[in-house]
Protein backbone atom coordinates (compact mmCIF):
# COMPACT_ATOMS: atom_id res chain seq x y z
CA UNK A 1 0.00 0.00 0.00
CA UNK A 2 2.88 2.42 0.67
CA UNK A 3 4.13 2.01 -2.89
CA UNK A 4 0.70 2.79 -4.31
CA UNK A 5 0.35 5.81 -2.04
CA UNK A 6 3.76 7.12 -3.11
CA UNK A 7 2.88 6.56 -6.77
CA UNK A 8 -0.38 8.45 -6.32
CA UNK A 9 1.44 11.27 -4.57
CA UNK A 10 4.04 11.52 -7.31
CA UNK A 11 1.25 11.57 -9.89
CA UNK A 12 -0.19 14.61 -8.10
CA UNK A 13 3.18 16.35 -8.42
CA UNK A 14 2.74 16.47 -12.23
CA UNK A 15 0.05 19.13 -11.91
CA UNK A 16 1.43 20.91 -8.84
CA UNK A 17 3.47 24.07 -9.30
CA UNK A 18 5.43 24.89 -6.12
CA UNK A 19 6.21 28.48 -5.16
CA UNK A 20 9.86 27.87 -6.00
CA UNK A 21 10.07 27.78 -9.82
CA UNK A 22 11.41 24.67 -11.54
CA UNK A 23 14.31 26.66 -13.04
CA UNK A 24 15.48 27.76 -9.58
CA UNK A 25 15.16 24.22 -8.25
CA UNK A 26 17.10 22.87 -11.25
CA UNK A 27 19.86 25.44 -10.77
CA UNK A 28 20.48 24.62 -7.11
CA UNK A 29 20.10 20.87 -7.57
CA UNK A 30 22.63 20.93 -10.44
CA UNK A 31 24.96 23.13 -8.41
CA UNK A 32 24.88 20.61 -5.56
CA UNK A 33 25.54 17.70 -7.92
CA UNK A 34 22.03 16.21 -7.88
CA UNK A 35 21.14 14.74 -11.28
CA UNK A 36 17.56 13.63 -11.84
CA UNK A 37 15.37 13.87 -14.92
CA UNK A 38 12.09 13.25 -13.09
CA UNK A 39 10.28 16.58 -12.70
CA UNK A 40 8.05 15.11 -9.99
CA UNK A 41 11.03 14.40 -7.73
CA UNK A 42 12.37 17.91 -8.29
CA UNK A 43 8.99 19.38 -7.42
CA UNK A 44 8.85 17.20 -4.33
CA UNK A 45 12.19 18.65 -3.22
CA UNK A 46 10.93 22.16 -4.00
CA UNK A 47 7.85 21.46 -1.86
CA UNK A 48 10.06 20.28 1.02
CA UNK A 49 12.15 23.43 0.69
CA UNK A 50 9.00 25.55 0.67
CA UNK A 51 7.83 23.86 3.88
CA UNK A 52 11.24 24.38 5.50
CA UNK A 53 11.25 28.12 4.67
CA UNK A 54 7.64 28.48 5.82
CA UNK A 55 8.43 26.80 9.15
CA UNK A 56 11.39 29.12 9.70
CA UNK A 57 9.28 32.18 8.85
CA UNK A 58 6.54 31.03 11.25
CA UNK A 59 9.05 30.48 14.06
CA UNK A 60 10.67 33.86 13.42
CA UNK A 61 7.22 35.46 13.57
CA UNK A 62 6.60 33.81 16.94
CA UNK A 63 9.94 35.14 18.23
CA UNK A 64 8.94 38.58 16.99
CA UNK A 65 5.61 38.41 18.82
CA UNK A 66 7.34 37.38 22.04
CA UNK A 67 9.89 40.19 21.66
CA UNK A 68 7.19 42.76 20.93
CA UNK A 69 4.99 41.62 23.81
CA UNK A 70 7.35 43.54 26.10
CA UNK A 71 6.47 46.77 24.31
CA UNK A 72 3.29 48.39 25.55
CA UNK A 73 2.11 50.06 22.33
CA UNK A 74 -1.50 50.02 21.18
CA UNK A 75 -2.60 47.49 18.58
CA UNK A 76 -2.75 49.94 15.65
CA UNK A 77 0.75 51.31 16.25
CA UNK A 78 2.37 47.91 16.38
CA UNK A 79 4.05 46.63 13.20
CA UNK A 80 5.52 43.20 12.79
CA UNK A 81 9.09 43.45 11.57
CA UNK A 82 11.40 40.53 10.80
CA UNK A 83 14.70 41.24 12.49
CA UNK A 84 17.96 39.36 12.22
CA UNK A 85 17.68 38.46 15.90
CA UNK A 86 14.30 36.77 15.34
CA UNK A 87 15.53 35.02 12.21
CA UNK A 88 18.76 33.90 13.88
CA UNK A 89 16.82 32.44 16.81
CA UNK A 90 14.44 30.59 14.49
CA UNK A 91 17.27 29.24 12.33
CA UNK A 92 19.19 28.03 15.36
CA UNK A 93 16.29 25.66 16.14
CA UNK A 94 17.00 23.98 12.80
CA UNK A 95 20.75 23.78 13.32
CA UNK A 96 21.62 26.76 11.10
CA UNK A 97 24.00 29.16 12.83
CA UNK A 98 23.97 32.73 11.55
CA UNK A 99 26.61 35.13 12.77
CA UNK A 100 27.19 38.72 11.74
CA UNK A 101 30.59 39.61 10.36
CA UNK A 102 32.95 41.45 12.73
CA UNK A 103 32.67 44.74 10.86
CA UNK A 104 29.01 45.26 11.81
Amino acid sequence: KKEKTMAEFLALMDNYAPIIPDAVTDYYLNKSGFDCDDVRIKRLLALATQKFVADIATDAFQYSKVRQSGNRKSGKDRKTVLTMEDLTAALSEYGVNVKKPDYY
Side-chain angles (χ1 to χ4, degrees):
K1 182 166 176 148
K2 284 185 180 181
E3 291 177 12
K4 184 178 180 184
T5 305
M6 180 60 94
E8 290 173 355
F9 184 72
L10 286 176
L12 292 173
M13 295 306 289
D14 283 330
N15 298 328
Y16 179 74
I19 292 175
I20 301 169
D22 290 338
V24 174
T25 304
D26 287 340
Y27 172 79
Y28 284 106
L29 288 176
N30 288 334
K31 189 173 180 177
S32 68
F34 184 83
D35 186 29
C36 179
D37 294 331
D38 193 353
V39 175
R40 300 172 303 174
I41 300 296
K42 292 178 184 179
R43 288 183 179 168
L44 181 63
L45 291 171
L47 181 63
T49 304
Q50 178 180 329
K51 167 92 168 77
F52 180 68
V53 171
D55 288 347
I56 291 171
T58 301
D59 290 347
F61 179 69
Q62 294 302 321
Y63 278 108
S64 175
K65 284 176 57 176
V66 168
R67 180 179 47 82
Q68 289 180 353
S69 67
N71 299 343
R72 300 288 183 222
K73 292 184 179 179
S74 66
K76 289 185 178 182
D77 295 338
R78 189 180 300 183
K79 285 187 178 180
T80 303
V81 177
L82 177 64
T83 63
M84 274 305 293
E85 290 78 20
D86 299 332
L87 187 58
T88 300
L91 285 168
S92 68
E93 290 183 12
Y94 294 92
V96 179
N97 295 322
V98 178
K99 295 184 181 183
K100 291 183 183 178
D102 291 333
Y103 55 85
Y104 276 111

